[in-house]
Amino acid sequence: MIGLVLTATISVAMIMVLLVVAGTFTWVERRLLGFVQERLGPNRVGPFGSLQWVADTVKILTKEDRPPPGADKLAYILAPAVAATPVLAGFGVVAFGDGLALAPVDVGVLFLLGMMGLTAYAAVLGAWASNNRFSLMGGMRAAAQMLAYEVFLGLSLMGVVMLAGSLSMHAIVEAQHGVWFVVLQPLGAALFCIAGVAAAHRLPFDLPESENDLVAGFITEYTGMSFGLFFLGEYLAVLLVSALAVTLFFGGWLGPWLPGPVWFGLKTAVIAVVFVWLRATLPRPRYDQLLSFAWKIALPLSLLNLLLTGVVVVARSAP
Amino acid sequence: MSTSNLVGELSARFGDAVLGEQTTRDSFPTVWIRPEVTIAVHRYLKDEIDRPFKMLVDLWAIDETARKHREGQPPSGITIASHLLSHDRNADIRIKTPLDAEYPRAKSIGTVFPNALWYEREAYDMFGVEFELQPHSNRILLPPGWEGHPMRKTQPGRATERPLFNMTAALFDAKEHALAADPEKFGLPTHRDGVELMILNYGPHSMATHGVFRIVLALDGEEIVAARPDIGFHHRGAEKMAERQTWHNFLPYTDRVDYLGGVMGEMPYLQAVEKACGITVPDRALTVRIMLSEMFRIMNHLLFYGTMAQDTGAMSPVFYMFTDRERGYRVIESITGARMHPGYFRIGGLSMDLPQGWDRLVREFLDWMPSRLDDYEGMVLRNEIFRARTKGVAAYDTAMAHEWGVTGPGLRATGQAWDVRKARPYAGFEHFDFEIPVGHNGDCYDRTCVRVEEIRQSLKIIRQCVDNMPSGPIKADHPLTTPPPRERMLHDIETMIHHFVGASWGPVLPAGETTGQVETVRGLTQFALISDGEPSSYRTRIRTPSFPHLQMISAVAPGMMVADLVAYLGSIDYVMSDVDR
């Protein structure tokens, strides 16, 4: 009973912390994008604009949030929730330090993959519910993109699972005491990063919400807190994918001198910044070019990676 | 002139259906024909003669009912004029057809020149001329449901001369419903092979369509089956206003026809006016005009570069280009006094001389640009994703470009090195050393590359201007120079009188017709002016390059995906003010 109350309290506290971290990450992104683009980002609200996201949250909460005429009301309200909740749940199994995970399950990686897959529903539900052709096109693109990239998201990290011999986040980090898996699995790491960017639908894979083609893709008809939840879901997904990449490939909390969680935080921050960097630099491939890359190039490569890793693992364990 | 015996050939072929040649101050012939032979004459000029006139540059109407000086012209109520261009001969010809004033009906040449259709719709819209290929009341620039034909001489030019306008709720609803994207109204198919197509209104409020422009698409998934562009949201009545303003007062309006071209918009207008007056502009003024025109070409092409990259998704390069533009605008502002719409040129020269230290500012800009352009090449032109988005997209060849009236970088990207600055040099361009960049495939990538190379060539031209700026007066010593040179005006009563009359009543141009042609940032811009011996224009026809470029979308778009359409629209580099005037 006490354990249950304790877990619940820690969960709530963690959600609060995550919201603050996501908000701060939006500030980091806006400032960084600004600097890359030879301009300042937000720098008025709070020291160096660091409280901009607080002001934005207040604005979003007080905006009119009403389903558009003809919308499917239940799906319209459900879609943002489906966008944010699985990602928050995913953070429950992430190991921030040695023994520091909210729910250290044995199949942490599998659980995370499942949660990432659920976010695909959000895009499709939101697009369908909006009763808007631009949203519909965004949703169709989202569905196809998620399908294509989630497949090799899972496959690309199977190599790591094979080397670590476990699906548990804890065990995978422990297996990297000698050398990080990014060195042993370069192809897997590259494919995972690409798939991760697509799973979070960030540039260059932001076709579902491509601002230039389709007003705002599947988010077109969303305002107020529903929009805020989509937004939150996207930034949390970026952080989740970064955390997952750090755990799987970059040694998790392992590192000299500094305590584990600090290393974890630093490494996740670096990868999150790379996400921002990608957004600032790259243009967006066309829909069919994106899908043909996923199915014809990335998927065969991840299968190849799996094959090679398998051969090496079997060869090493043979007497 | 390679058209000297052309009128003779036409008379021989069509007998007395050729009503005669009109003398104008232009170097090309203006021939009057009977309406019955319109299609035959155009087909003859386009297909049958040697070195044919393959491009229809412009087609417009003239309301002759209030005109006093029509000596040597057959009687006409409303005249339809069509302007053809032959690249092989490097010559033009203008065909005029007289029509009845009350019920003008003309034959459509849409079967000969596909790009005639929008021009004919505009002639209906503005003058009420009915063409038999067009469905009735197919307006293009004015909103559906508009009553009247504004460019006619019976229609007032000021809003204060019209009855009071009240927007009631019912009227608002009616106007809104009239603009609905109804596939029948736009001639769009609703089914293909049994599959129902999705009608998507890529409305006037869209980030992809640069400016207030609307395309109604019929989509099969992501593939475009048919596209119908809809223009007119940016129409401001520039041609009607020209009939109200004096020759001098109209200059700032020409800046605003293409709002990114700035001072370059004044060039074709002044070319025509100065030809009518017989003014020779001094060399210093000509060189400054060239320098500023090329500065604005660079400004526009930089904006194009940034927005082209942004249309494919790269969000950062546009900021770097805008930093460069900021530097360029500071130079322009210190010379002309304003940034985007300087209104710096005058009839006969410039409004004021270059400021001291101008050459240092221009040289700083010239030194700053090349390394930036090299950076952009790595960032954009060599970017694999950008290339994948633009190579092979919206490709058309030179023949199709001629069919649809494409000029400027869009034509040069198909492989034809035709630029008005080289073909018919004006304002002293014959003394400058520069090249015409040419592409090969006529796709979005080549159009981008051609414009980037044009930036470099413009930098070269500006450097030659700075190195060789002639000294001398900046205004011609001619009675019709408006306003006259200030030193003379303050000392000489004749000049003072000219200044007073020119500034208040307006300079009076001799009666006649003149044309000015200039290679502006988007292509060939042509002003055809008719003067009736009044202080204001009788008819000002503004032929802009973006108008035919947009018409072509319905021919090029089918088969593309929506994302390709965005890249294509970016690569046309149009601005709506240039299309709608």
Side-chain angles (χ1 to χ4, degrees):
Chain A
M1 187 57 201
I2 293 287
L4 205 62
V5 172
L6 196 64
T7 315
T9 323
I10 298 179
S11 306
V12 172
M14 222 174 91
I15 292 180
M16 293 294 136
V17 168
L18 278 172
L19 293 179
V20 172
V21 171
T24 314
F25 180 52
T26 60
W27 169 71
V28 167
E29 175 175 62
R30 289 171 70 174
R31 285 309 299 243
L32 269 180
L33 280 178
F35 290 143
V36 169
Q37 292 162 358
E38 280 185 357
R39 59 182 177 91
L40 308 167
N43 63 347
R44 296 275 181 236
V45 186
F48 301 106
S50 51
L51 295 179
Q52 179 72 40
W53 62 274
V54 177
D56 286 338
T57 310
V58 172
K59 176 196 80 172
I60 278 181
L61 284 171
T62 53
K63 267 194 164 186
E64 179 192 25
D65 186 3
R66 189 179 64 86
D72 183 341
K73 291 201 176 44
L74 183 62
Y76 185 87
I77 297 170
L78 211 56
V82 174
T85 318
V87 187
L88 282 170
F91 273 101
V93 300
V94 170
F96 297 99
D98 202 349
L100 285 176
L102 183 62
V105 298
D106 285 335
V107 289
V109 169
L110 201 61
F111 179 73
L112 266 174
L113 284 177
M115 289 296 115
M116 303 284 315
L118 277 179
T119 56
Y121 281 104
V124 179
L125 267 176
W128 180 255
S130 298
N131 192 32
N132 176 325
R133 287 167 195 199
F134 288 106
S135 307
L136 186 66
M137 288 178 67
M140 278 164 33
R141 290 177 173 188
Q145 177 182 307
M146 297 299 242
L147 193 69
Y149 283 82
E150 297 276 346
V151 170
F152 78 87
L153 178 75
L155 282 175
S156 60
L157 54 79
M158 282 301 140
V160 167
V161 170
M162 273 200 264
L163 287 177
S166 162
L167 282 168
S168 148
M169 307 281 272
H170 208 92
I172 292 176
V173 177
E174 289 296 327
Q176 292 181 67
H177 268 291
V179 63
W180 288 356
F181 282 145
V182 68
V183 178
L184 297 175
Q185 287 271 300
L187 186 60
L191 288 170
F192 179 80
C193 288
I194 295 173
V197 176
H201 25 90
R202 297 272 302 182
L203 258 171
F205 301 116
D206 72 342
L207 270 162
E209 25 168 291
S210 67
E211 287 154 5
N212 301 88
D213 297 9
L214 325 160
V215 189
F218 69 91
I219 314 185
T220 310
E221 294 284 356
Y222 281 89
T223 64
M225 199 53 215
S226 339
F227 172 76
L229 275 175
F230 269 119
F231 208 56
L232 191 73
E234 183 178 310
Y235 280 97
L236 282 174
V238 171
L239 290 171
L240 186 62
V241 169
S242 310
L244 191 58
V246 165
T247 311
L248 291 169
F249 295 102
F250 291 98
W253 64 80
L254 298 172
W257 315 314
L258 295 170
V262 176
W263 269 121
F264 189 85
L266 275 173
K267 292 181 200 175
T268 310
V270 167
I271 299 193
V273 163
V274 171
F275 268 84
V276 175
W277 188 6
L278 279 176
R279 183 173 187 213
T281 329
L282 293 176
R284 184 185 306 122
R286 203 175 58 205
Y287 179 55
D288 60 323
Q289 291 166 348
L290 197 77
L291 293 177
S292 75
F293 173 78
W295 291 110
K296 294 186 203 168
I297 300 176
L299 185 62
L301 279 178
S302 61
L303 287 171
L304 186 70
N305 181 42
L306 204 60
L307 186 68
L308 288 173
T309 314
V311 164
V312 168
V313 165
V314 165
R316 263 205 288 166
S317 65
Chain B
M1 188 79 236
S2 51
T3 45
S4 49
N5 41 3
L6 193 57
V7 183
E9 283 174 46
L10 277 172
S11 296
R13 176 82 163 74
F14 293 99
D16 61 355
V18 174
L19 297 169
E21 189 182 340
Q22 175 186 346
T23 40
T24 62
R25 284 196 190 76
D26 296 319
S27 56
F28 51 81
T30 304
V31 185
W32 287 82
I33 60 169
R34 283 195 203 283
E36 303 85 62
V37 297
T38 311
I39 300 179
V41 167
H42 285 92
R43 200 177 289 288
Y44 174 73
L45 289 169
K46 188 189 180 209
D47 295 327
E48 293 170 27
I49 62 173
D50 109 278
R51 296 179 301 155
F53 291 84
K54 286 197 281 225
M55 189 184 289
L56 175 73
V57 166
D58 199 5
L59 190 154
W60 71 103
I62 306 164
D63 184 343
E64 311 263 20
T65 53
R67 202 165 159 192
K68 304 189 297 274
H69 298 275
R70 293 192 73 244
E71 299 79 31
Q73 299 174 37
S76 173
I78 304 241
T79 305
I80 294 287
S82 70
H83 191 109
L84 305 179
L85 170 70
S86 166
H87 296 98
D88 296 331
R89 293 175 188 238
N90 191 12
D92 298 352
I93 186 168
R94 191 170 289 175
I95 312 284
K96 284 195 177 177
T97 319
L99 304 172
D100 178 49
E102 283 288 304
Y103 299 106
R105 301 188 61 82
K107 293 202 177 296
S108 164
I109 56 171
T111 47
V112 184
F113 292 102
N115 65 330
L117 292 170
W118 271 22
Y119 290 118
E120 290 169 354
R121 279 175 71 180
E122 191 185 339
Y124 167 76
D125 204 357
M126 296 291 145
F127 288 87
V129 180
E130 305 252 1
F131 294 86
E132 83 264 340
L133 271 194
Q134 308 277 4
H136 185 66
S137 48
N138 195 1
R139 290 187 180 270
I140 188 170
L141 292 180
L142 296 174
W146 187 277
E147 305 265 332
H149 301 284
M151 286 289 295
R152 293 230 189 178
K153 291 295 176 181
T154 49
Q155 294 266 330
R158 290 175 196 272
T160 46
E161 291 162 18
R162 291 176 160 273
L164 194 63
F165 178 72
N166 259 319
M167 178 68 94
T168 59
L171 189 60
F172 185 85
D173 279 336
K175 281 182 183 290
E176 204 174 347
H177 283 273
L179 279 174
D182 180 11
E184 253 181 57
K185 210 162 36 132
F186 284 92
L188 284 170
T190 47
H191 287 79
R192 183 176 72 159
D193 298 333
V195 173
E196 189 183 345
L197 303 173
M198 181 165 85
I199 306 293
L200 187 66
N201 177 32
Y202 230 67
H205 312 269
S206 170
M207 273 165 271
T209 64
H210 299 239
V212 271
F213 172 49
R214 173 204 210 189
I215 314 186
V216 188
L217 299 169
L219 296 173
D220 179 9
E222 285 252 353
E223 185 196 335
I224 299 175
V225 174
R228 295 282 178 271
D230 185 19
I231 62 171
F233 298 96
H234 209 307
H235 179 67
R236 296 157 296 163
E239 294 181 5
K240 186 77 177 178
M241 286 207 264
E243 298 172 13
R244 183 184 82 191
Q245 302 292 68
T246 69
W247 296 101
H248 168 67
N249 283 356
F250 187 62
L251 264 167
Y253 290 83
T254 58
D255 277 41
R256 287 152 174 86
V257 166
D258 175 356
Y259 51 63
L260 293 174
V263 120
M264 183 126 57
E266 302 173 27
M267 293 277 282
Y269 176 68
L270 287 176
Q271 218 183 64
V273 169
E274 285 157 3
K275 200 193 298 187
C277 300
I279 296 177
T280 315
V281 180
D283 284 339
R284 186 175 172 87
L286 285 177
T287 313
V288 174
R289 281 184 179 182
I290 288 182
M291 186 172 79
L292 287 175
S293 296
E294 296 304 315
M295 280 294 290
F296 273 99
R297 195 185 305 273
I298 297 174
M299 296 291 107
N300 173 76
H301 284 354
L302 280 173
L303 187 141
F304 156 80
Y305 206 178
T307 52
M308 185 71 199
Q310 187 161 56
D311 280 338
T312 56
M315 40 155 68
S316 303
V318 68
F319 290 96
Y320 311 139
M321 281 88 171
F322 268 69
T323 310
D324 299 336
R325 293 182 79 232
E326 186 57 39
R327 284 176 175 254
Y329 277 127
R330 281 208 207 123
V331 175
I332 291 171
E333 188 186 17
S334 56
I335 296 177
T336 67
R339 287 160 57 107
M340 287 187 79
H341 302 123
Y344 180 59
F345 302 163
R346 295 285 181 270
I347 301 172
L350 313 170
S351 61
M352 43 188 181
D353 205 344
L354 296 166
Q356 274 180 355
W358 67 274
D359 49 340
R360 181 181 48 84
L361 287 174
V362 177
R363 280 187 212 279
E364 271 170 16
F365 180 72
L366 291 175
D367 293 334
W368 164 262
M369 280 308 299
S371 63
R372 303 281 286 193
L373 287 176
D374 293 334
D375 279 344
Y376 302 151
E377 210 171 299
M379 236 186 271
V380 180
L381 289 183
R382 286 201 294 265
N383 184 310
E384 280 304 318
I385 301 180
F386 181 80
R387 290 165 87 111
R389 282 296 296 274
T390 52
K391 273 196 182 276
V393 171
Y396 52 83
D397 58 8
T398 311
M400 192 168 177
H402 288 164
E403 286 280 299
W404 290 95
V406 177
T407 52
L411 175 64
R412 294 194 278 279
T414 64
Q416 177 161 43
W418 204 85
D419 185 321
V420 184
R421 295 175 292 172
K422 288 278 195 198
R424 297 120 184 248
Y426 55 89
F429 265 112
E430 59 269 18
H431 304 301
F432 283 82
D433 172 32
F434 63 101
E435 276 128 43
I436 309 292
V438 159
H440 304 285
N441 305 317
D443 57 10
C444 292
Y445 187 74
D446 277 3
R447 287 192 280 277
T448 311
C449 289
V450 165
R451 289 192 179 96
V452 171
E453 189 52 39
E454 279 187 9
I455 299 179
R456 292 205 161 91
Q457 294 301 318
S458 290
L459 287 168
K460 195 170 163 186
I461 296 175
I462 296 176
R463 197 173 280 283
Q464 290 166 53
C465 288
V466 177
D467 291 338
N468 310 316
M469 178 63 70
S471 55
I474 46 130
K475 280 194 182 167
D477 187 8
H478 189 281
L480 283 169
T481 302
T482 313
R486 196 162 187 87
E487 331 67 66
R488 296 201 55 167
M489 185 267 284
L490 290 171
H491 289 104
D492 172 18
I493 189 64
E494 284 276 327
T495 323
M496 167 79 87
I497 293 171
H498 276 293
H499 187 179
F500 182 80
V501 173
S504 57
W505 179 242
V508 177
L509 255 61
E513 298 186 13
T514 46
T515 307
Q517 287 179 341
V518 156
E519 181 80 23
T520 51
V521 296
R522 290 161 223 300
L524 170 69
T525 302
Q526 175 179 280
F527 268 71
L529 303 178
I530 300 181
S531 165
D532 208 24
E534 297 283 317
S536 48
S537 167
Y538 183 82
R539 174 79 170 101
T540 301
R541 168 63 184 174
I542 309 174
R543 186 270 177 194
T544 49
S546 307
F547 191 84
H549 295 172
L550 289 192
Q551 203 184 159
M552 201 175 167
I553 291 175
S554 49
V556 177
M560 289 188 195
M561 307 191 79
V562 175
D564 288 335
L565 179 73
V566 175
Y568 173 41
L569 289 179
S571 74
I572 302 178
D573 190 22
Y574 60 91
V575 283
M576 287 320 291
S577 64
D578 199 46
V579 177
D580 295 334
R581 288 153 276 135

